[in-house]
Amino acid sequence: MQRESQALAVRLSALGAPVTTHFYAGTHSPPYWAREFHRSLPMLMEALRGT
């Protein structure tokens, strides 16, 4: 799945979309999800507000 995610990030960037990625050699476990959720939530909320 990482290759697909990286390819999507490259494609979005090539199309001019702002892309922020964090790829880790890790697992899909609750501690991993929680860390990424807490980091990404402010960015997601800002995008939804349109600011």
Side-chain angles (χ1 to χ4, degrees), residues 27-46:
T27 63
H28 291 278
S29 63
Y32 172 85
W33 298 332
R35 180 187 67 206
E36 293 305 309
F37 177 74
H38 288 290
R39 182 182 19 216
S40 64
L41 184 60
M43 289 187 289
L44 295 169
M45 295 303 293
E46 184 176 323

Side-chain angles (χ1 to χ4, degrees), residues 7-18:
L8 176 62
V10 168
R11 179 72 174 133
L12 290 171
S13 185
L15 293 171

